[in-house]
Amino acid sequence: MKCAHEGCQKEASCAPKICVPAVNGPLEESKTIGLILSLKICQLHFDELKIKDFLSPTSDLRRMVEIVARGKAEPDFERAWFKRVLLISNEFGMFERAQAGRPGGG
Ligand SMILES: [Zn+2]
């Protein structure tokens, strides 16, 4: 599968996972809200992702994080970061299986 970046001919190797800590919370991945994006890209384009572009006040991703955070600590989008998830990793495999099992997902 090719990188999802327009015009890129490289093989996709990874997907971004957004990690959002709670306000005043620790920056350990296990303590953050983590959502994998179904955006398969190459290493180069992963490095070029700008998290601010994904977290505009009206963005779907921001809304999804807010839904997950409901009833928990308030998410701190200012300190959010992207973790690289390899497409061959178990973590991504589990994500894809979860997507496939959901109506309208994929
Ligand atoms: Zn690329």
Side-chain angles (χ1 to χ4, degrees):
M1 151 140 350
K2 293 265 185 286
C3 170
H5 192 91
E6 209 181 317
C8 180
Q9 293 301 312
K10 287 204 171 81
E11 268 317 283
S13 64
C14 58
K17 176 185 179 183
I18 189 169
C19 298
V20 189
V23 172
N24 298 322
L27 291 174
E28 289 161 56
E29 188 195 338
S30 62
K31 304 242 166 63
T32 61
I33 288 171
L35 291 175
I36 296 176
L37 279 62
S38 41
L39 179 67
K40 296 174 188 170
I41 48 177
C42 68
Q43 170 76 54
L44 175 74
H45 285 116
F46 175 82
D47 290 341
E48 287 186 350
L49 290 181
K50 290 187 182 62
I51 198 154
K52 291 262 187 297
D53 294 346
F54 288 79
L55 290 174
S56 69
T58 56
S59 82
D60 287 345
L61 183 58
R62 193 179 181 108
R63 209 165 315 144
M64 276 162 62
V65 172
E66 281 170 347
I67 289 167
V68 175
R70 207 168 274 165
K72 302 181 191 158
E74 192 187 332
D76 186 349
F77 290 105
E78 290 299 311
R79 293 194 301 155
W81 73 92
F82 277 135
K83 183 204 162 194
R84 187 166 64 107
V85 179
L86 294 177
L87 299 185
I88 56 167
S89 67
N90 282 336
E91 190 176 11
F92 194 80
M94 277 162 58
F95 165 73
E96 284 218 305
R97 280 196 291 281
Q99 292 276 303
R102 203 155 56 199

